[in-house]
């Protein structure tokens, strides 16, 4: 029986793959990958490696999660090295924990290989540090997939009055609702916000605005995209090194 490596592919730029991930990709007998994992990475695999696309995008799955779990289990019966390649880090909204539990319950060995998460690296390529001395001492990474006006929202909106930098993943389609909610809980209308599309790739694009006007400015950007809310967004003007 084989082993499943729940592996982070990094945020887009292929050079942000870790050495550990690259090593296991070169040894892989089969690679199960997502939409967000840069497909260029697959060229590093050995001859005869099998590729299985499970096309998960923004948590609208083309293959349901329970079927992915079962697929990994089945592949581990037939192959020695099974790589489950996910965009960013496998445990940051990556459902890698669920896959690991499913495998463990069935006696299949697994390993996590961390990846560079888009939540930090994408703002970084846009010249937005998630923490910055004198501006903010902490940051949060929040799902933007859960609609803010859902009756029993698990997101502590009331806490977002703080100076924390807030990074929303999977939130572009809820941008209008998210910004309205932040204003409702007390953030100023002119508070800085950025939307970064296709971060760390040649098509990266950053749009800067305020809670009031960002929706109109950024709503048509292509995905994947993430949202950064915080005073640190203002540093983009000075530190934007990659898109220049
Ligand atoms: N495990 C991943 C996140 C999965 S959730 C990680 O650690 O990065 C998917 C969300 O991540 C997308 O909806 C988007 O908000 C964000 N994302 C991933 N790659 C991105 C990129 N290159 N540019 C902008 N946002 C990205």
């Amino acid at each position: 029986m084989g082993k499943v490596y729940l592996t982070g592919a990094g945020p887009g730029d292929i050079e942000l793959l870790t050495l550990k991930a690259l090593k296991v990709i070169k040894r892989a007998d089969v690679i199960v990958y997502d939409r967000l994992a840069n497909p260029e990475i697959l060229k590093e695999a050995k001859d005869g490696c099998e590729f299985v696309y499970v096309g998960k995008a923004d948590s609208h799955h083309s293959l349901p999660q329970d079927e992915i779990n079962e697929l990994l289990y089945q592949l581990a019966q037939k192959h020695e090295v099974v790589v489950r390649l996910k965009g960013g880090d496998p445990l940051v909204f990556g459902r890698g924990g669920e896959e690991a539990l499913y495998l463990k319950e069935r006696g299949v060995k697994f390993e996590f290989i961390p990846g560079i998460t888009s939540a930090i690296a994408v703002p970084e390529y846009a010249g937005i540090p998630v923490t910055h001395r004198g501006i903010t001492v902490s940051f949060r990474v929040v799902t933007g997939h859960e609609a803010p006006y859902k009756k029993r929202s698990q997101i502590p909106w009331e806490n977002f009055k703080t100076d924390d930098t807030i990074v929303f993943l999977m939130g572009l389609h809820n941008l209008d609702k998210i910004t309205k909610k932040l204003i409702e809980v007390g953030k100023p209308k002119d508070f800085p916000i950025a939307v970064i599309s296709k971060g760390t790739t040649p098509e990266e694009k950053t749009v800067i605005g305020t809670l009031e006007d960002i929706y109109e400015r950024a709503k048509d950007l292509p995905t994947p995209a993430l949202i950064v809310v915080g005073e640190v967004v203002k540093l983009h003007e000075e530190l934007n090194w990659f898109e220049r």
Side-chain angles (χ1 to χ4, degrees):
M1 200 158 61
K3 187 166 176 181
V4 179
Y5 296 81
L6 300 154
T7 307
D13 180 347
I14 189 170
E15 294 197 319
L16 295 179
L17 191 70
T18 66
L19 275 180
K20 190 159 189 175
L22 184 61
K23 272 189 188 163
V24 81
I25 285 161
K26 285 187 187 295
R27 284 173 49 222
D29 301 308
V30 56
I31 300 178
V32 179
Y33 67 105
D34 281 352
R35 187 190 68 126
L36 286 176
N38 182 343
E40 288 286 304
I41 294 171
L42 304 178
K43 292 185 184 157
E44 301 294 331
K46 69 183 183 194
D47 287 345
C49 176
E50 215 181 288
F51 302 116
V52 185
Y53 178 68
V54 290
K56 237 164 76 172
D58 291 349
S59 73
H60 304 293
H61 320 163
S62 65
L63 198 63
Q65 186 64 46
D66 53 353
E67 286 178 32
I68 296 176
N69 295 347
E70 179 62 20
L71 174 71
L72 293 174
Y73 170 70
Q74 293 298 339
L75 289 171
Q77 312 303 305
K78 285 184 284 182
H79 301 280
E80 208 171 311
V81 181
V82 180
V83 171
R84 170 69 173 115
L85 192 63
K86 293 164 174 286
D89 182 88
L91 301 186
V92 178
F93 299 118
R95 307 190 71 169
E98 292 167 55
E99 292 169 5
L101 284 170
Y102 189 92
L103 295 168
K104 168 132 200 286
E105 281 160 15
R106 285 155 188 81
V108 177
K109 283 196 204 133
F110 70 90
E111 251 183 57
F112 292 127
I113 301 184
I116 294 183
T117 180
S118 64
I120 296 171
V122 167
E124 190 162 341
Y125 267 50
I128 302 172
V130 290
T131 68
H132 191 80
R133 209 174 146 88
I135 298 182
T136 180
V137 293
S138 61
F139 65 95
R140 308 169 180 224
V141 182
V142 183
T143 174
H145 185 60
E146 187 189 280
Y149 292 95
K150 215 177 77 175
K151 261 208 185 112
R152 263 182 296 154
S153 174
Q154 287 181 36
I155 300 173
W157 291 99
E158 280 299 319
N159 298 350
F160 290 171
K161 280 179 245 170
T162 68
D163 293 335
D164 291 9
T165 303
I166 313 169
V167 179
F168 289 97
L169 300 185
M170 304 177 283
L172 190 62
H173 60 290
N174 276 330
L175 180 60
D176 191 33
K177 290 184 194 140
I178 290 169
T179 51
K180 285 192 174 125
K181 189 77 186 176
L182 290 171
I183 292 169
E184 195 181 300
V185 300
K187 285 234 182 259
K189 284 184 179 158
D190 62 353
F191 201 73
I193 178 167
V195 176
I196 309 158
S197 162
K198 298 195 164 187
T200 81
T201 77
E203 296 112 87
E204 174 176 313
K205 188 163 194 296
T206 302
V207 173
I208 304 287
T210 65
L211 288 181
E212 202 168 30
D213 69 11
I214 193 73
Y215 176 68
E216 280 309 320
R217 287 167 183 256
K219 64 179 194 305
D220 296 325
L221 285 175
T223 57
L226 59 71
I227 303 165
V228 189
V229 181
E231 294 286 350
V232 287
V233 165
K234 291 182 177 161
L235 290 165
H236 165 80
E237 210 178 302
E238 292 276 352
L239 301 182
N240 176 26
W241 61 278
F242 180 67
E243 287 165 56
R244 249 178 218 150

